Amino acid sequence: MGAGRKSHAFTLEDRTPSSFATTKSSAIARNLRKENLGGVIFGCKSNTMKECLTKQIFGLPSMHFSYVRNIEQGLPLFLFNYSNRKLHGIFEAAGPGQMNINSYGWTEDGSDRTPYPAQVRIRVRMDCQPLLEEKFSQIIMDNYYSQYHFWFELDHAQTRALINSFSSSPVNATAISLPLPKVKTLFKAAPNHDTKMEVDHRPSVSVQDLNWSDQPSMVVRNLGGSQPLGGTGTMDEEETMDEEEAKVYLKLQQIALDRKKSDFPLGVSPAAVSGPSMIDDVQMEVGGASIGPSFSADKSVEISVDSSHLDSVIAQLMQGMEELKNFSAEQLKKTGALEKKLVESEMHIQQLNDRVKKLELKFGPSNGSFDERSEGSSDSQPITEPVEVCSNADESILVVGGYNGVSWLAELDSYSPSRDVMRSLKPMNSVRSYASAATLNGHLYIFGGGNGSSWYDTVERYDPMSNEWTSCPPLIERKGSLAGATLDNKIFAIGGGNGDECFWEVEMFDPALGRWVPTRSMLQKRFAPAAAELNGVIYAVGGYDGRDYLKTAERFDPREVSWTRLPSMNKRRGCHSLAILNEKLYALGGYDGTEMVSSVEIFDPRMCSWMTGDPMNQPRGYSAAAVIGKSLYVIGGVYQGEDILNKVERYTEGSGWEVTNLKGIGKRCFFSTIVLK
């Protein structure tokens, strides 16, 4: 996908339909197939980079999971620091991409849910200097969709070029920092004022011999000063050691053994500077240090220390390491127990919530606890508050996909307004919003829409008898915010758009053909229209044509094999709902180009005219409507900007609109609803 191609973004700031009229933000993903994914760039800032590297987890917002889930162990990864516009590498995936590996990462105190749940565990493949944007941007030029923004997915050619570019950058003290858990250990021994520590240029031990390429940095310090062996840092004994620190201790022990075998004995150098004993106070620091040695890699350096005392220090270090390992195991055990209790508590809370709902169904909704109502006074009366019912309690509303303010959803739920109960069914194969739904032969079809970063052409079918989803032949075009209807045992996908253009095309799925075929196009382009079938005719109402929100409406009669223009509504509207009640079409709410509206207009086909209906209590768009019995329900939607509604309104002829106290669905928008008959 070229840098110039753009698609409508799914940022929450741009979710009002006016974004289609005024902006065309670029999509956040190239949507490469799994076999074409060569690597992934993750983002961070200077204040979050340390946590990324310390915990060895990279994360992105949930909308990026569409490609993070394609990450497999060993896939090359890179880390882009937005603060200084530098790219760090080379990392690789230590496991598959998943959601919520660390559910509380990158939050201020670890108590809030992470804003970056699309995560992968990482490890360092090669320690290299970071690349400036002026260098790496030439390699991933096709990923840039604006001056400062680029897609994070890399194809194989881009990944190879980045790896080659990083590999040409030598490691030094300014290489990528990989902070480790900090542990502080202080060892004491009998003073030996003759022992000194010296660094000179005798050729007995070289930096190359130390082979620090995959080890964290280390400092051995005495009271007279410190000699760096590859960076500086501090330790805190409350935290745990990991495998990298174990390698440091093993390397130190190996150095001592090698020195015993060398031609140059480990003794006191004549040129040593006198000072207090190293053994008097030896402190080793690991953590917050750069990978690799801090001195030049092309110089040979000798560490001259009394052998017996060095052996003593190593023994104490190894003993301290064992103690810290035991402490780490104990902490992990405690953490596991706490996590188990948390899960049990959440399950218990859910059970209590279910219990409360059952009690409310039995005794009626309460304003206080059950105990308060039954025992609050000696003269308490029987509870007679009515339970909300509809005329046909056997019917329920299928609620499909959408967005709840936190995540894009793949959920399919069955909602009963009479009981205000939501029952989870088998979810779709992928998250899906801005889609359309229709029924055919007792099955639910969901088609088009998107996953928060790109539009779909995919189609899924749900069988309520088996509670299973099946993939179906795809649409001809990728599109979202389209409308759907069923007519003459065929499904029609009407209008919509892909971020670059609005469509007037109509696609038809014929089960006999087993595929989608083009059929007669509408008279007008319509993005985010509403459509419905009534008495053998399809009606398409409102929407956005790329310039204006529309008042217009048209209908398709298969006997005429064409679309016919109808009288226009009184108000412009898009992303609205269209429902059929008592042989009339109800156009509900939507966006008029300036704001969400609460107005309702009613079309009577027998009169072929629109009339103004009672307005809803709450302006809303991207909501959903369903009719059960003699009641029309409007559910969820967006009020303005990021305000996602959890209010359900109900309309009955003669009584008007009322705001119910139904809360079973919760906050939801950009979703589809349908009633299976």
Side-chain angles (χ1 to χ4, degrees), residues 388-447:
E388 291 190 288
V389 297
C390 61
S391 59
N392 189 345
D394 294 331
E395 289 187 348
S396 59
I397 303 169
L398 292 182
V399 182
V400 194
Y403 180 76
N404 62 8
V406 178
S407 303
W408 303 97
L409 306 174
E411 278 77 357
L412 170 66
D413 302 295
S414 176
Y415 177 65
S416 171
S418 65
R419 294 179 294 147
D420 194 23
V421 171
M422 184 92 96
R423 184 166 62 95
S424 296
L425 304 175
K426 186 170 183 178
M428 294 178 286
N429 295 314
S430 60
V431 298
R432 193 182 297 263
S433 302
Y434 300 94
S436 190
T439 60
L440 180 62
N441 298 327
H443 294 86
L444 165 68
Y445 286 75
I446 187 84
F447 41 94

Short mmCIF file of all heavy atoms in Angstrom, two decimals, residues 388-447:
data_model
loop_
_atom_site.label_atom_id
_atom_site.label_comp_id
_atom_site.label_asym_id
_atom_site.label_seq_id
_atom_site.Cartn_x
_atom_site.Cartn_y
_atom_site.Cartn_z
N GLU A 388 -40.70 -4.49 33.86
CA GLU A 388 -40.93 -4.08 32.48
C GLU A 388 -41.13 -5.30 31.61
O GLU A 388 -40.36 -6.25 31.65
CB GLU A 388 -39.75 -3.26 31.97
CG GLU A 388 -39.63 -1.93 32.64
CD GLU A 388 -38.61 -1.09 31.91
OE1 GLU A 388 -37.43 -1.40 32.06
OE2 GLU A 388 -39.01 -0.13 31.23
N VAL A 389 -42.17 -5.30 30.81
CA VAL A 389 -42.46 -6.42 29.91
C VAL A 389 -42.75 -5.88 28.53
O VAL A 389 -43.09 -4.71 28.35
CB VAL A 389 -43.66 -7.25 30.40
CG1 VAL A 389 -43.36 -7.89 31.73
CG2 VAL A 389 -44.92 -6.40 30.49
N CYS A 390 -42.63 -6.72 27.53
CA CYS A 390 -43.07 -6.38 26.20
C CYS A 390 -44.15 -7.37 25.79
O CYS A 390 -44.38 -8.36 26.46
CB CYS A 390 -41.91 -6.40 25.21
SG CYS A 390 -41.11 -8.02 25.07
N SER A 391 -44.81 -7.07 24.72
CA SER A 391 -45.96 -7.87 24.35
C SER A 391 -45.60 -9.28 23.96
O SER A 391 -46.42 -10.18 24.02
CB SER A 391 -46.70 -7.19 23.19
OG SER A 391 -45.83 -7.06 22.08
N ASN A 392 -44.37 -9.51 23.53
CA ASN A 392 -43.94 -10.85 23.15
C ASN A 392 -42.61 -11.14 23.84
O ASN A 392 -41.56 -10.83 23.32
CB ASN A 392 -43.78 -10.96 21.63
CG ASN A 392 -43.53 -12.40 21.19
OD1 ASN A 392 -43.22 -13.26 22.00
ND2 ASN A 392 -43.69 -12.65 19.90
N ALA A 393 -42.70 -11.74 25.03
CA ALA A 393 -41.49 -11.95 25.84
C ALA A 393 -40.59 -13.02 25.28
O ALA A 393 -39.46 -13.17 25.70
CB ALA A 393 -41.90 -12.31 27.27
N ASP A 394 -41.07 -13.80 24.28
CA ASP A 394 -40.25 -14.86 23.70
C ASP A 394 -39.24 -14.30 22.71
O ASP A 394 -38.25 -14.96 22.41
CB ASP A 394 -41.13 -15.89 23.00
CG ASP A 394 -42.01 -16.65 23.98
OD1 ASP A 394 -41.59 -16.80 25.15
OD2 ASP A 394 -43.10 -17.06 23.58
N GLU A 395 -39.47 -13.11 22.18
CA GLU A 395 -38.55 -12.53 21.21
C GLU A 395 -37.42 -11.80 21.91
O GLU A 395 -37.61 -11.19 22.96
CB GLU A 395 -39.29 -11.58 20.26
CG GLU A 395 -40.22 -12.30 19.30
CD GLU A 395 -40.81 -11.35 18.28
OE1 GLU A 395 -40.68 -10.14 18.45
OE2 GLU A 395 -41.42 -11.83 17.31
N SER A 396 -36.25 -11.87 21.31
CA SER A 396 -35.09 -11.16 21.84
C SER A 396 -34.34 -10.51 20.70
O SER A 396 -34.55 -10.82 19.52
CB SER A 396 -34.18 -12.11 22.62
OG SER A 396 -33.72 -13.15 21.79
N ILE A 397 -33.46 -9.59 21.05
CA ILE A 397 -32.70 -8.81 20.07
C ILE A 397 -31.28 -9.36 20.02
O ILE A 397 -30.62 -9.49 21.05
CB ILE A 397 -32.68 -7.33 20.47
CG1 ILE A 397 -34.11 -6.79 20.59
CG2 ILE A 397 -31.90 -6.52 19.45
CD1 ILE A 397 -34.19 -5.42 21.23
N LEU A 398 -30.80 -9.68 18.81
CA LEU A 398 -29.41 -10.07 18.65
C LEU A 398 -28.57 -8.81 18.48
O LEU A 398 -28.85 -7.97 17.63
CB LEU A 398 -29.24 -10.99 17.44
CG LEU A 398 -29.88 -12.38 17.55
CD1 LEU A 398 -29.59 -13.18 16.29
CD2 LEU A 398 -29.38 -13.13 18.77
N VAL A 399 -27.53 -8.67 19.30
CA VAL A 399 -26.66 -7.50 19.30
C VAL A 399 -25.28 -7.97 18.84
O VAL A 399 -24.68 -8.85 19.45
CB VAL A 399 -26.58 -6.87 20.70
CG1 VAL A 399 -25.72 -5.63 20.68
CG2 VAL A 399 -27.98 -6.55 21.21
N VAL A 400 -24.78 -7.35 17.76
CA VAL A 400 -23.59 -7.88 17.09
C VAL A 400 -22.49 -6.82 17.02
O VAL A 400 -22.69 -5.72 16.50
CB VAL A 400 -23.92 -8.33 15.65
CG1 VAL A 400 -22.78 -9.18 15.09
CG2 VAL A 400 -25.23 -9.09 15.60
N GLY A 401 -21.30 -7.17 17.55
CA GLY A 401 -20.10 -6.35 17.39
C GLY A 401 -20.22 -4.96 18.00
O GLY A 401 -20.94 -4.72 18.96
N GLY A 402 -19.48 -4.00 17.40
CA GLY A 402 -19.52 -2.61 17.86
C GLY A 402 -18.32 -2.21 18.68
O GLY A 402 -17.24 -2.85 18.63
N TYR A 403 -18.52 -1.18 19.49
CA TYR A 403 -17.45 -0.59 20.30
C TYR A 403 -18.06 -0.16 21.62
O TYR A 403 -19.16 0.40 21.67
CB TYR A 403 -16.86 0.61 19.57
CG TYR A 403 -15.74 1.32 20.30
CD1 TYR A 403 -14.47 0.78 20.35
CD2 TYR A 403 -15.96 2.54 20.92
CE1 TYR A 403 -13.44 1.43 21.01
CE2 TYR A 403 -14.93 3.20 21.58
CZ TYR A 403 -13.68 2.63 21.62
OH TYR A 403 -12.67 3.29 22.28
N ASN A 404 -17.37 -0.44 22.75
CA ASN A 404 -17.93 -0.14 24.07
C ASN A 404 -17.18 0.97 24.80
O ASN A 404 -17.34 1.15 26.00
CB ASN A 404 -17.95 -1.40 24.93
CG ASN A 404 -16.56 -1.96 25.19
OD1 ASN A 404 -15.55 -1.34 24.84
ND2 ASN A 404 -16.49 -3.13 25.79
N GLY A 405 -16.35 1.73 24.07
CA GLY A 405 -15.57 2.79 24.70
C GLY A 405 -14.18 2.35 25.09
O GLY A 405 -13.32 3.17 25.39
N VAL A 406 -13.94 1.04 25.10
CA VAL A 406 -12.63 0.49 25.44
C VAL A 406 -12.10 -0.39 24.32
O VAL A 406 -10.96 -0.26 23.90
CB VAL A 406 -12.70 -0.33 26.75
CG1 VAL A 406 -11.34 -0.94 27.07
CG2 VAL A 406 -13.19 0.54 27.90
N SER A 407 -12.94 -1.28 23.81
CA SER A 407 -12.49 -2.27 22.84
C SER A 407 -13.46 -2.37 21.67
O SER A 407 -14.66 -2.14 21.81
CB SER A 407 -12.38 -3.65 23.51
OG SER A 407 -11.52 -3.62 24.62
N TRP A 408 -12.90 -2.73 20.52
CA TRP A 408 -13.71 -3.16 19.38
C TRP A 408 -14.15 -4.59 19.66
O TRP A 408 -13.37 -5.40 20.16
CB TRP A 408 -12.90 -3.08 18.09
CG TRP A 408 -12.38 -1.69 17.84
CD1 TRP A 408 -11.14 -1.22 18.14
CD2 TRP A 408 -13.09 -0.59 17.27
NE1 TRP A 408 -11.03 0.10 17.79
CE2 TRP A 408 -12.21 0.51 17.24
CE3 TRP A 408 -14.38 -0.43 16.76
CZ2 TRP A 408 -12.58 1.75 16.75
CZ3 TRP A 408 -14.74 0.80 16.26
CH2 TRP A 408 -13.86 1.88 16.26
N LEU A 409 -15.38 -4.91 19.33
CA LEU A 409 -15.99 -6.14 19.82
C LEU A 409 -16.25 -7.16 18.72
O LEU A 409 -16.59 -6.80 17.59
CB LEU A 409 -17.32 -5.81 20.52
CG LEU A 409 -17.26 -4.76 21.63
CD1 LEU A 409 -18.66 -4.43 22.13
CD2 LEU A 409 -16.39 -5.25 22.78
N ALA A 410 -16.10 -8.42 19.09
CA ALA A 410 -16.52 -9.54 18.23
C ALA A 410 -17.73 -10.24 18.82
O ALA A 410 -18.21 -11.22 18.28
CB ALA A 410 -15.37 -10.54 18.08
N GLU A 411 -18.26 -9.72 19.92
CA GLU A 411 -19.31 -10.39 20.67
C GLU A 411 -20.64 -10.46 19.92
O GLU A 411 -21.01 -9.54 19.19
CB GLU A 411 -19.56 -9.69 22.01
CG GLU A 411 -18.59 -10.08 23.12
CD GLU A 411 -17.24 -9.41 22.98
OE1 GLU A 411 -17.05 -8.69 21.98
OE2 GLU A 411 -16.38 -9.62 23.84
N LEU A 412 -21.34 -11.56 20.11
CA LEU A 412 -22.74 -11.71 19.72
C LEU A 412 -23.51 -12.00 20.99
O LEU A 412 -23.19 -12.93 21.73
CB LEU A 412 -22.92 -12.85 18.72
CG LEU A 412 -24.37 -13.25 18.43
CD1 LEU A 412 -25.11 -12.12 17.72
CD2 LEU A 412 -24.44 -14.53 17.60
N ASP A 413 -24.53 -11.18 21.27
CA ASP A 413 -25.32 -11.32 22.48
C ASP A 413 -26.80 -11.36 22.13
O ASP A 413 -27.24 -10.78 21.13
CB ASP A 413 -25.06 -10.16 23.45
CG ASP A 413 -23.60 -10.04 23.83
OD1 ASP A 413 -23.09 -10.95 24.48
OD2 ASP A 413 -22.98 -9.02 23.46
N SER A 414 -27.55 -12.04 22.96
CA SER A 414 -29.00 -12.07 22.84
C SER A 414 -29.58 -11.27 24.00
O SER A 414 -29.37 -11.62 25.17
CB SER A 414 -29.51 -13.52 22.87
OG SER A 414 -30.92 -13.55 22.84
N TYR A 415 -30.29 -10.20 23.67
CA TYR A 415 -30.79 -9.30 24.70
C TYR A 415 -32.31 -9.39 24.79
O TYR A 415 -33.02 -9.28 23.79
CB TYR A 415 -30.39 -7.86 24.39
CG TYR A 415 -30.94 -6.86 25.38
CD1 TYR A 415 -30.53 -6.89 26.71
CD2 TYR A 415 -31.87 -5.91 25.01
CE1 TYR A 415 -31.03 -5.99 27.63
CE2 TYR A 415 -32.38 -5.00 25.92
CZ TYR A 415 -31.96 -5.05 27.23
OH TYR A 415 -32.46 -4.15 28.14
N SER A 416 -32.80 -9.58 26.01
CA SER A 416 -34.23 -9.63 26.28
C SER A 416 -34.65 -8.36 27.01
O SER A 416 -34.32 -8.19 28.19
CB SER A 416 -34.58 -10.85 27.13
OG SER A 416 -35.93 -10.79 27.56
N PRO A 417 -35.38 -7.43 26.34
CA PRO A 417 -35.82 -6.22 27.04
C PRO A 417 -36.79 -6.51 28.18
O PRO A 417 -36.83 -5.78 29.17
CB PRO A 417 -36.50 -5.41 25.93
CG PRO A 417 -35.97 -5.96 24.65
CD PRO A 417 -35.73 -7.40 24.91
N SER A 418 -37.56 -7.58 28.06
CA SER A 418 -38.55 -7.87 29.11
C SER A 418 -37.89 -8.21 30.43
O SER A 418 -38.43 -7.94 31.50
CB SER A 418 -39.45 -9.02 28.67
OG SER A 418 -38.71 -10.21 28.53
N ARG A 419 -36.69 -8.80 30.36
CA ARG A 419 -35.97 -9.19 31.58
C ARG A 419 -34.71 -8.37 31.80
O ARG A 419 -34.05 -8.52 32.82
CB ARG A 419 -35.61 -10.68 31.51
CG ARG A 419 -36.82 -11.60 31.53
CD ARG A 419 -36.40 -13.05 31.42
NE ARG A 419 -35.80 -13.34 30.13
CZ ARG A 419 -34.82 -14.22 29.93
NH1 ARG A 419 -34.30 -14.85 30.95
NH2 ARG A 419 -34.35 -14.44 28.72
N ASP A 420 -34.37 -7.53 30.81
CA ASP A 420 -33.13 -6.74 30.87
C ASP A 420 -31.92 -7.64 31.12
O ASP A 420 -31.06 -7.36 31.95
CB ASP A 420 -33.22 -5.66 31.96
CG ASP A 420 -32.11 -4.62 31.82
OD1 ASP A 420 -31.58 -4.48 30.69
OD2 ASP A 420 -31.79 -3.95 32.81
N VAL A 421 -31.88 -8.73 30.38
CA VAL A 421 -30.80 -9.72 30.54
C VAL A 421 -30.10 -9.90 29.19
O VAL A 421 -30.75 -10.05 28.16
CB VAL A 421 -31.35 -11.06 31.04
CG1 VAL A 421 -30.27 -12.13 30.99
CG2 VAL A 421 -31.89 -10.92 32.45
N MET A 422 -28.79 -9.87 29.24
CA MET A 422 -27.95 -10.09 28.06
C MET A 422 -27.30 -11.46 28.19
O MET A 422 -26.61 -11.74 29.17
CB MET A 422 -26.88 -9.01 27.95
CG MET A 422 -26.04 -9.14 26.70
SD MET A 422 -26.70 -8.18 25.35
CE MET A 422 -25.71 -6.70 25.53
N ARG A 423 -27.51 -12.31 27.20
CA ARG A 423 -26.92 -13.65 27.20
C ARG A 423 -25.87 -13.74 26.11
O ARG A 423 -26.15 -13.45 24.94
CB ARG A 423 -28.00 -14.71 26.98
CG ARG A 423 -27.50 -16.15 27.06
CD ARG A 423 -28.67 -17.11 27.17
NE ARG A 423 -29.52 -17.05 26.00
CZ ARG A 423 -29.42 -17.86 24.93
NH1 ARG A 423 -28.46 -18.77 24.91
NH2 ARG A 423 -30.25 -17.76 23.92
N SER A 424 -24.67 -14.14 26.46
CA SER A 424 -23.58 -14.23 25.49
C SER A 424 -23.71 -15.47 24.64
O SER A 424 -23.93 -16.58 25.15
CB SER A 424 -22.23 -14.24 26.21
OG SER A 424 -22.01 -13.04 26.90
N LEU A 425 -23.58 -15.28 23.34
CA LEU A 425 -23.54 -16.39 22.38
C LEU A 425 -22.12 -16.48 21.83
O LEU A 425 -21.24 -15.73 22.23
CB LEU A 425 -24.56 -16.15 21.28
CG LEU A 425 -26.01 -15.95 21.74
CD1 LEU A 425 -26.91 -15.60 20.58
CD2 LEU A 425 -26.52 -17.19 22.46
N LYS A 426 -21.91 -17.37 20.89
CA LYS A 426 -20.56 -17.54 20.36
C LYS A 426 -20.15 -16.29 19.59
O LYS A 426 -20.88 -15.82 18.72
CB LYS A 426 -20.48 -18.76 19.44
CG LYS A 426 -19.07 -19.04 18.97
CD LYS A 426 -18.94 -20.37 18.28
CE LYS A 426 -17.49 -20.65 17.90
NZ LYS A 426 -17.32 -21.97 17.27
N PRO A 427 -18.96 -15.73 19.87
CA PRO A 427 -18.55 -14.50 19.19
C PRO A 427 -18.18 -14.76 17.73
O PRO A 427 -17.93 -15.90 17.32
CB PRO A 427 -17.32 -14.04 19.99
CG PRO A 427 -16.81 -15.29 20.61
CD PRO A 427 -18.00 -16.16 20.89
N MET A 428 -18.12 -13.69 16.94
CA MET A 428 -17.70 -13.79 15.55
C MET A 428 -16.22 -14.19 15.47
O MET A 428 -15.51 -14.21 16.48
CB MET A 428 -17.91 -12.44 14.86
CG MET A 428 -19.36 -12.03 14.73
SD MET A 428 -19.54 -10.41 13.93
CE MET A 428 -19.01 -9.32 15.27
N ASN A 429 -15.78 -14.48 14.26
CA ASN A 429 -14.38 -14.86 14.07
C ASN A 429 -13.43 -13.68 14.16
O ASN A 429 -12.22 -13.86 14.29
CB ASN A 429 -14.23 -15.55 12.71
CG ASN A 429 -14.98 -16.86 12.64
OD1 ASN A 429 -14.91 -17.67 13.55
ND2 ASN A 429 -15.74 -17.07 11.57
N SER A 430 -13.96 -12.45 14.07
CA SER A 430 -13.12 -11.26 14.18
C SER A 430 -13.96 -10.12 14.73
O SER A 430 -15.19 -10.14 14.67
CB SER A 430 -12.55 -10.87 12.81
OG SER A 430 -13.60 -10.60 11.89
N VAL A 431 -13.27 -9.10 15.29
CA VAL A 431 -13.99 -7.92 15.75
C VAL A 431 -14.62 -7.24 14.53
O VAL A 431 -14.09 -7.31 13.43
CB VAL A 431 -13.06 -6.95 16.49
CG1 VAL A 431 -12.48 -7.62 17.71
CG2 VAL A 431 -11.95 -6.44 15.59
N ARG A 432 -15.79 -6.60 14.74
CA ARG A 432 -16.48 -6.02 13.59
C ARG A 432 -17.37 -4.88 14.07
O ARG A 432 -18.22 -5.07 14.94
CB ARG A 432 -17.30 -7.08 12.88
CG ARG A 432 -17.81 -6.63 11.50
CD ARG A 432 -18.66 -7.73 10.88
NE ARG A 432 -17.94 -8.94 10.62
CZ ARG A 432 -17.42 -9.27 9.43
NH1 ARG A 432 -17.53 -8.42 8.42
NH2 ARG A 432 -16.80 -10.41 9.27
N SER A 433 -17.17 -3.69 13.48
CA SER A 433 -17.99 -2.52 13.74
C SER A 433 -18.33 -1.86 12.41
O SER A 433 -17.73 -2.16 11.38
CB SER A 433 -17.25 -1.53 14.64
OG SER A 433 -16.89 -2.13 15.85
N TYR A 434 -19.28 -0.92 12.44
CA TYR A 434 -19.72 -0.22 11.23
C TYR A 434 -20.20 -1.21 10.16
O TYR A 434 -20.10 -0.93 8.97
CB TYR A 434 -18.60 0.63 10.64
CG TYR A 434 -18.04 1.71 11.52
CD1 TYR A 434 -16.92 1.47 12.31
CD2 TYR A 434 -18.62 2.98 11.57
CE1 TYR A 434 -16.39 2.45 13.12
CE2 TYR A 434 -18.09 3.97 12.37
CZ TYR A 434 -16.98 3.71 13.15
OH TYR A 434 -16.45 4.69 13.95
N ALA A 435 -20.69 -2.37 10.58
CA ALA A 435 -21.14 -3.39 9.64
C ALA A 435 -22.65 -3.30 9.45
O ALA A 435 -23.32 -2.44 10.02
CB ALA A 435 -20.74 -4.77 10.15
N SER A 436 -23.19 -4.20 8.64
CA SER A 436 -24.63 -4.30 8.47
C SER A 436 -25.03 -5.75 8.65
O SER A 436 -24.22 -6.67 8.45
CB SER A 436 -25.06 -3.80 7.09
OG SER A 436 -26.47 -3.69 7.03
N ALA A 437 -26.29 -5.97 9.02
CA ALA A 437 -26.78 -7.31 9.30
C ALA A 437 -28.10 -7.53 8.57
O ALA A 437 -28.86 -6.59 8.32
CB ALA A 437 -26.96 -7.52 10.80
N ALA A 438 -28.35 -8.78 8.24
CA ALA A 438 -29.62 -9.16 7.61
C ALA A 438 -29.88 -10.62 7.93
O ALA A 438 -28.96 -11.36 8.31
CB ALA A 438 -29.56 -8.94 6.10
N THR A 439 -31.15 -11.05 7.79
CA THR A 439 -31.50 -12.44 8.03
C THR A 439 -31.90 -13.10 6.72
O THR A 439 -32.46 -12.45 5.82
CB THR A 439 -32.66 -12.55 9.03
OG1 THR A 439 -33.81 -11.85 8.51
CG2 THR A 439 -32.28 -11.95 10.36
N LEU A 440 -31.59 -14.38 6.62
CA LEU A 440 -31.96 -15.15 5.44
C LEU A 440 -32.09 -16.61 5.85
O LEU A 440 -31.14 -17.20 6.39
CB LEU A 440 -30.90 -15.00 4.34
CG LEU A 440 -31.16 -15.75 3.03
CD1 LEU A 440 -32.43 -15.26 2.37
CD2 LEU A 440 -29.97 -15.61 2.09
N ASN A 441 -33.28 -17.17 5.64
CA ASN A 441 -33.55 -18.58 5.95
C ASN A 441 -33.21 -18.94 7.39
O ASN A 441 -32.61 -19.97 7.68
CB ASN A 441 -32.76 -19.49 4.99
CG ASN A 441 -33.16 -19.29 3.54
OD1 ASN A 441 -34.33 -19.00 3.23
ND2 ASN A 441 -32.21 -19.44 2.63
N GLY A 442 -33.57 -18.03 8.31
CA GLY A 442 -33.36 -18.30 9.73
C GLY A 442 -31.95 -18.11 10.22
O GLY A 442 -31.64 -18.42 11.37
N HIS A 443 -31.05 -17.60 9.36
CA HIS A 443 -29.67 -17.33 9.75
C HIS A 443 -29.41 -15.83 9.78
O HIS A 443 -30.04 -15.06 9.05
CB HIS A 443 -28.69 -17.99 8.76
CG HIS A 443 -28.73 -19.48 8.76
ND1 HIS A 443 -29.62 -20.19 7.99
CD2 HIS A 443 -28.00 -20.41 9.44
CE1 HIS A 443 -29.43 -21.49 8.18
NE2 HIS A 443 -28.45 -21.65 9.06
N LEU A 444 -28.45 -15.44 10.60
CA LEU A 444 -28.00 -14.05 10.67
C LEU A 444 -26.75 -13.90 9.83
O LEU A 444 -25.78 -14.65 9.99
CB LEU A 444 -27.70 -13.68 12.13
CG LEU A 444 -26.88 -12.39 12.35
CD1 LEU A 444 -27.68 -11.16 11.95
CD2 LEU A 444 -26.44 -12.29 13.81
N TYR A 445 -26.78 -12.91 8.92
CA TYR A 445 -25.61 -12.58 8.12
C TYR A 445 -25.08 -11.22 8.56
O TYR A 445 -25.85 -10.27 8.72
CB TYR A 445 -25.95 -12.51 6.63
CG TYR A 445 -26.18 -13.86 5.98
CD1 TYR A 445 -27.37 -14.56 6.20
CD2 TYR A 445 -25.24 -14.42 5.14
CE1 TYR A 445 -27.59 -15.79 5.60
CE2 TYR A 445 -25.45 -15.65 4.52
CZ TYR A 445 -26.63 -16.34 4.77
OH TYR A 445 -26.83 -17.55 4.17
N ILE A 446 -23.76 -11.13 8.75
CA ILE A 446 -23.13 -9.85 9.08
C ILE A 446 -22.05 -9.61 8.03
O ILE A 446 -21.26 -10.50 7.72
CB ILE A 446 -22.52 -9.87 10.52
CG1 ILE A 446 -22.02 -8.49 10.92
CG2 ILE A 446 -21.47 -10.93 10.68
CD1 ILE A 446 -23.10 -7.61 11.49
N PHE A 447 -22.03 -8.40 7.43
CA PHE A 447 -21.13 -8.18 6.30
C PHE A 447 -20.55 -6.78 6.33
O PHE A 447 -21.17 -5.84 6.81
CB PHE A 447 -21.86 -8.43 4.97
CG PHE A 447 -23.26 -7.91 4.89
CD1 PHE A 447 -23.54 -6.66 4.35
CD2 PHE A 447 -24.32 -8.68 5.35
CE1 PHE A 447 -24.84 -6.19 4.28
CE2 PHE A 447 -25.62 -8.20 5.29
CZ PHE A 447 -25.89 -6.96 4.74
#
